[in-house]
Amino acid sequence: MRAFFVHTALLVLSFSVESFAWGEHGHRTVGYLARLYFTPNGEALFNELLAPTAMFDISDGAVWADDHGVQIRMPFSKPWHYIDAKDDPPDNCTIVYSTDCDPDKHCVIAAIVNMTSRVNNQALLKQEQSNAFKFLLHFLGDVTQPLHTEEKCKGGNNLMVQWGPLNSPREKLHQVWDSLIIQKLIGYKRPTSPDPNNVYDKSLARTWAAELKTRIDAGLLAAPTALECININTPEKCALKWAGEANKLICSYVLKDGKNLGRDRNNDDCRWEWHGPEDVSKEYYQGAVPIVEAQIAKAGYRLGAWVNALAEQRSVMRRNGITFDEGSLRVQGRLDL
Ligand SMILES: *[C@@H]1O[C@H](CO)[C@@H](O)[C@H](O)[C@H]1NC(C)=O
Ligand SMILES: *[C@@H]1O[C@H](CO)[C@@H](O)[C@H](O)[C@H]1NC(C)=O
């Protein structure tokens, strides 16, 4: 039974791509970019809590939260990837934390707060600290994806648009923002042979991360605004600010041309009249590129600083005689059951 189950899970993994996060390339890039900013202490924390190998690097850590194995073991983590602003685009984009984060505090902001406090919680097993670390690698990315901060049409999952010439299959607007814009920008082509270790995806992400770093360091992208709130002692304030910034992009660009036909009646509903261009892979794509670049750049930059700050905190705790669990980590892998 066990063997059968694992086999089935592998099939699921290869053939279905869920869309509820910056896609694989976005998250991998955020991971690589963050690592380019790690201090020696940040690097040490990464080594301690991720135990990277040739097969499981920082970018694998950054996509781990979307892994089907994780989804199966921790189904309760699904709502941690977003916050549903119940606002009124395109006229009013606003997050109201008290009502938009569900009553049990299952949303990306609460998750960032929770995971930030768990990484250096000496009462937790190292494996739990490691999981919190990997969740952070992911959520600091997700909170910058505009459609992860919007309830309308289930964050664009129920809003179908045309990507490419007429007769192209229609795509979820959410998927356009998670993956398709990025894939077009970085020149992704669907591989013709199997690539179980994601060598190709990783090399595209590594290259993009290096380009973004050059532009950030030249002051051309992200850094000044990204730096406005990087304080692990006020995670709720910072995560709310980051989410608010992403949510404003819903009104200023993502859903700017359209008409809200009222609150969606249920999860599968989409009361929205799309007035944007017919084919979103042209002008709409062109206009989205600088937004996506800035959002990914900010995510990576902030994540680097966040990890460095957590590493400092851990060093101080150690100097003060606090000990952390020295247990070993489970063997890592895409299928972390
Ligand atoms: C915008 O939406 C928020 C949240 O729904 C609401 O509190 C606020 O009053 C609205 N602002 C305007 C100008 O309508
Ligand atoms: C924080 O994360 C832990 C571990 O995943 C989870 O059990 C707990 O419910 C979370 N707490 C909140 C407030 O979300």
Side-chain angles (χ1 to χ4, degrees):
M1 255 344 262
R2 169 91 187 153
F4 171 73
F5 176 67
V6 169
H7 182 65
T8 311
L10 275 168
L11 284 178
V12 169
L13 212 130
S14 356
F15 294 116
S16 87
V17 180
E18 278 266 3
S19 63
F20 47 81
W22 280 124
E24 161 156 10
H25 299 102
H27 280 291
R28 287 191 186 279
T29 303
V30 169
Y32 286 129
L33 181 55
R35 187 161 175 219
L36 295 174
Y37 286 104
F38 284 177
T39 56
N41 263 348
E43 186 71 13
L45 180 67
F46 157 65
N47 282 317
E48 182 182 350
L49 292 186
L50 209 95
T53 62
M55 304 267 285
F56 196 89
D57 68 6
I58 185 118
S59 81
D60 295 298
V63 295
W64 172 88
D66 277 342
D67 188 292
H68 281 270
V70 173
Q71 301 285 324
I72 291 163
R73 273 195 297 121
M74 298 188 253
F76 49 84
S77 70
K78 282 200 171 196
W80 296 355
H81 295 243
Y82 54 84
I83 180 163
D84 276 342
K86 295 160 188 58
D87 52 5
D88 183 23
D91 301 324
N92 181 1
C93 284
T94 313
I95 293 179
V96 182
Y97 186 55
S98 55
T99 47
D100 295 337
C101 193
D102 85 30
D104 296 326
K105 293 280 175 266
H106 290 303
C107 72
V108 68
I109 294 168
I112 288 173
V113 173
N114 192 14
M115 296 305 143
T116 298
S117 75
R118 289 174 70 85
V119 166
N120 288 333
N121 181 340
Q122 72 270 23
L124 295 180
L125 293 174
K126 189 154 151 196
Q127 184 64 55
E128 295 175 275
Q129 295 171 4
S130 168
N131 289 351
F133 185 82
K134 285 175 286 184
F135 273 128
L136 281 180
L137 299 181
H138 192 82
F139 298 149
L140 263 73
D142 275 345
V143 73
T144 67
Q145 208 281 49
L147 285 167
H148 278 243
T149 63
E150 177 56 50
E151 182 186 59
K152 194 71 210 161
C153 304
K154 211 176 172 190
N157 271 302
N158 294 333
L159 183 52
M160 304 304 283
V161 291
Q162 186 188 315
W163 174 267
L166 246 136
N167 302 330
S168 309
R170 292 178 76 76
E171 302 280 358
K172 299 170 174 175
L173 187 69
H174 191 95
Q175 175 69 2
V176 167
W177 281 87
D178 266 356
S179 302
L180 299 179
I181 292 167
I182 290 177
Q183 289 179 353
K184 181 169 170 142
L185 177 65
I186 64 178
Y188 169 82
K189 304 265 180 304
R190 189 176 276 279
T192 48
S193 49
D195 183 13
N197 296 324
N198 304 96
V199 173
Y200 172 61
D201 299 308
K202 287 180 180 181
S203 94
L204 284 177
R206 227 184 261 112
T207 304
W208 193 27
E211 280 171 24
L212 292 174
K213 179 166 191 295
T214 306
R215 290 163 64 193
I216 292 170
D217 293 349
L220 301 173
L221 203 57
T225 42
L227 269 172
E228 277 167 22
C229 202
I230 301 177
N231 182 352
I232 57 166
N233 298 311
T234 58
E236 185 177 305
K237 175 169 161 263
C238 291
L240 189 53
K241 180 176 187 302
W242 303 336
E245 203 179 282
N247 171 263
K248 290 287 178 235
L249 294 166
I250 296 288
C251 282
S252 66
Y253 195 81
V254 181
L255 293 178
K256 105 180 132 59
D257 298 315
K259 190 166 170 212
N260 192 354
L261 303 177
R263 275 298 290 282
D264 300 337
R265 280 155 300 199
N266 54 52
N267 229 6
D268 299 320
D269 198 15
C270 179
R271 308 189 69 196
W272 182 264
E273 213 172 271
W274 175 258
H275 295 176
E278 196 56 35
D279 173 2
V280 296
S281 77
K282 293 177 177 163
E283 299 89 340
Y284 185 83
Y285 159 81
Q286 294 293 350
V289 164
I291 294 172
V292 168
E293 288 176 328
Q295 292 303 91
I296 295 287
K298 281 187 277 188
Y301 191 87
R302 288 168 183 159
L303 177 60
W306 208 255
V307 168
N308 292 338
L310 284 167
E312 277 316 308
Q313 186 183 59
R314 199 173 180 93
S315 299
V316 170
M317 289 170 79
R318 280 208 165 102
R319 279 204 292 281
N320 290 332
I322 289 170
T323 55
F324 292 92
D325 175 36
E326 294 298 334
S328 57
L329 296 173
R330 258 196 312 273
V331 176
Q332 304 283 11
R334 286 285 289 155
L335 197 68
D336 186 13
L337 285 170

